Amino acid sequence: MKKNRITDLVRKNIQKLTPYSSARSEFKGTAEVFLDANENPFDTGYNRYPDPLQLKLKAKIAALKGVPIENIFLGNGSDEAIDLLIRIFCEPSKDHILTLPPTYGMYKVSAAISDIEIKTVPLNKQFQPRVNRILKAANAHSKILFLCSPNNPTGNSFDFKRMKRLLEGFKGIVVVDEAYIDFAEQASCTTLLKKYPNLVVMQTFSKAWGLAGIRLGMAFASKEIIGYFNKVKPPYNVNQLTQEAAMRSLNKGKKQQKWLKMILDERAVLQKELKKLPYVQKVYPTDANFILVKMDNPNEMYKYLVKQKIIVRNRSTVLLCDGCLRITVGTKEENKRLLAALKKR
Ligand SMILES: *Cc1c(COP(=O)(O)O)cnc(C)c1O
């Protein structure tokens, strides 16, 4: 099947766009006196604009992920990457995106903000993409297909073969949102980047890295797509505090590995204990740091837990998730408190 060239998928106004040229990116070489950016000359530690391309941080991430720097975009959370992708590729009131509910809510909200329509092809009962239906639903205006694997709120990874068939058959951009990949057995789709120029893989520092507060998301893609990200993004989209905090955390990888193991161990404990509760109908398998649980009277249970000062996510009104609460794996103490409250019911 003949693929569209990436540029043919990009909105015309973005193809033609002359990006903002910041003071710091116009200058090359070494200098000692910086009088070009209207900064305050007195050293606060933060008086200078940060590196717009975050090259030091990207070098660290490149080494960790095995993806070259030129194939990395960093954003103000993955949410910024989602928004930029929609603005790069989708023409308002003409193009649309495809999503596979039940899934992460931001794709829809981001599309709506840009006045982009959304077509949905629900997952099957095993929460897997229905490849033939998706490809049938797609047309020349289907610019982006969002795959969330492991999927939020169901917790499962998508079958690799199905994702590959979608990458082969879908003519637009395929985004694989891997926010929870560090908790998964399945390998990252970054291994497919060389083969598929229309693939974008998103990851984040918000979950396994324990840095939701610094707002740092990653997108891995072909050089061409990364070029468009850089053209459209606000020049200093990742601030210096965030870049520094991420560097510190990347230098302390051992601690993160320890947390990860604790979360995975606790996940197994929670799964086992939840299955024992008489009103629990199903504990879905999970590849993420949360568990989808189907039970009798989920709304009452949700309210009861709130009274116990324990907040979980009520997903019982979401397509294919009736009866379900989504429970994030906490610390050992937090999980114990949750289980004690659940057992009293
Ligand atoms: C939590 C989550 C994210 C993370 O978004 P950030 O903006 O990086 O915090 C992305 N995708 C999914 C599916 C998520 O659940």
Side-chain angles (χ1 to χ4, degrees):
M1 188 176 297
K2 193 182 167 292
K3 282 268 183 239
N4 287 320
R5 282 181 54 236
I6 299 301
T7 298
D8 294 339
L9 293 168
V10 173
R11 289 166 67 198
K12 292 278 178 303
N13 64 315
I14 302 298
Q15 289 180 28
K16 283 189 278 185
L17 178 74
T18 309
Y20 177 73
S21 177
S22 64
R24 234 14 69 80
S25 57
E26 280 184 2
F27 152 84
K28 282 194 181 66
T30 52
E32 286 167 3
V33 179
F34 290 100
L35 304 176
D36 57 346
N38 300 346
E39 296 151 335
N40 187 316
F42 299 105
D43 186 9
T44 61
Y46 300 102
N47 54 316
R48 300 293 176 188
Y49 281 102
D51 174 7
L53 292 174
Q54 314 96 23
L55 290 176
K56 255 199 209 161
L57 179 54
K58 278 182 187 165
K60 279 248 162 223
I61 293 170
L64 180 74
K65 304 285 179 184
V67 176
I69 290 178
E70 65 191 32
N71 298 109
I72 303 175
F73 164 80
L74 298 180
N76 186 355
S78 315
D79 290 343
E80 183 178 32
I82 296 168
D83 176 57
L84 292 180
L85 282 164
I86 290 173
R87 289 198 279 148
I88 290 165
F89 293 105
C90 301
E91 195 63 48
S93 46
K94 203 168 123 196
D95 295 329
H96 58 259
I97 63 164
L98 279 171
T99 71
L100 317 181
T103 194
Y104 187 45
M106 266 318 279
Y107 314 135
K108 187 178 180 174
V109 173
S110 242
I113 289 168
S114 286
D115 198 14
I116 300 303
E117 283 196 29
I118 167 169
K119 266 197 195 181
T120 58
V121 181
L123 297 172
N124 70 16
K125 286 223 170 70
Q126 288 75 45
F127 298 139
Q128 290 293 331
R130 293 193 282 198
V131 176
N132 293 337
R133 286 198 202 189
I134 295 165
L135 295 179
K136 232 187 228 161
N139 62 34
H141 293 294
S142 311
K143 290 295 189 68
I144 309 176
L145 168 62
F146 282 97
L147 305 177
C148 186
S149 176
N151 187 39
N152 178 3
T154 59
N156 64 299
S157 294
F158 289 168
D159 178 38
F160 223 77
K161 280 193 202 125
R162 286 179 198 249
M163 291 200 279
K164 270 184 139 173
R165 275 172 62 208
L166 288 167
L167 277 160
E168 304 274 350
F170 185 70
K171 292 196 187 119
I173 302 295
V174 177
V175 177
V176 182
D177 185 346
E178 294 186 344
Y180 300 98
I181 193 71
D182 301 288
F183 305 103
E185 300 245 331
Q186 186 156 304
S188 167
C189 285
T190 50
T191 55
L192 302 175
L193 284 169
K194 279 207 188 95
K195 192 161 177 206
Y196 300 104
N198 62 331
L199 169 64
V200 178
V201 178
M202 295 196 307
Q203 295 184 11
T204 180
F205 279 79
S206 295
K207 308 286 154 67
W209 286 93
L211 293 172
I214 72 170
R215 311 304 304 129
L216 186 63
M218 300 165 264
F220 307 103
S222 59
K223 208 171 145 183
E224 210 176 350
I225 294 178
I226 298 299
Y228 283 110
F229 267 118
N230 288 336
K231 202 173 171 186
V232 171
K233 78 183 186 73
Y236 305 108
N237 62 325
V238 178
N239 71 68
Q240 190 184 333
L241 290 162
T242 295
Q243 293 187 43
E244 287 169 0
M247 285 293 273
R248 278 199 301 276
S249 187
L250 285 163
N251 288 332
K252 286 188 295 194
K254 268 210 182 115
K255 192 165 166 194
Q256 195 243 355
Q257 286 306 313
K258 209 177 97 191
W259 284 339
L260 196 58
K261 189 179 176 312
M262 285 185 346
I263 291 169
L264 293 181
D265 289 349
E266 277 301 303
R267 182 177 79 184
V269 173
L270 264 182
Q271 281 177 304
K272 192 170 130 228
E273 294 301 315
L274 287 167
K275 280 179 189 161
K276 291 182 191 163
L277 299 167
Y279 49 82
V280 165
Q281 297 169 22
K282 181 153 185 150
V283 178
Y284 286 93
T286 178
D287 245 353
N289 66 336
F290 57 82
I291 306 171
L292 191 70
V293 189
K294 186 170 183 153
M295 61 183 72
D296 307 334
N297 306 318
N299 294 325
E300 277 149 48
M301 182 59 78
Y302 175 80
K303 281 183 213 146
Y304 160 76
L305 287 174
V306 170
K307 273 205 196 105
Q308 307 296 309
K309 300 193 164 31
I310 300 171
I311 314 301
V312 298
R313 198 88 198 261
N314 188 352
R315 299 281 80 183
S316 62
T317 58
V318 171
L319 183 79
L320 298 176
C321 295
D322 47 299
C324 289
L325 300 182
R326 191 195 71 189
I327 302 173
T328 307
V329 180
T331 63
K332 193 178 202 114
E333 292 68 36
E334 290 170 331
N335 302 332
K336 266 192 184 153
R337 197 165 147 188
L338 168 78
L339 286 169
L342 289 173
K343 277 173 192 161
K344 269 194 262 159
R345 260 317 247 207

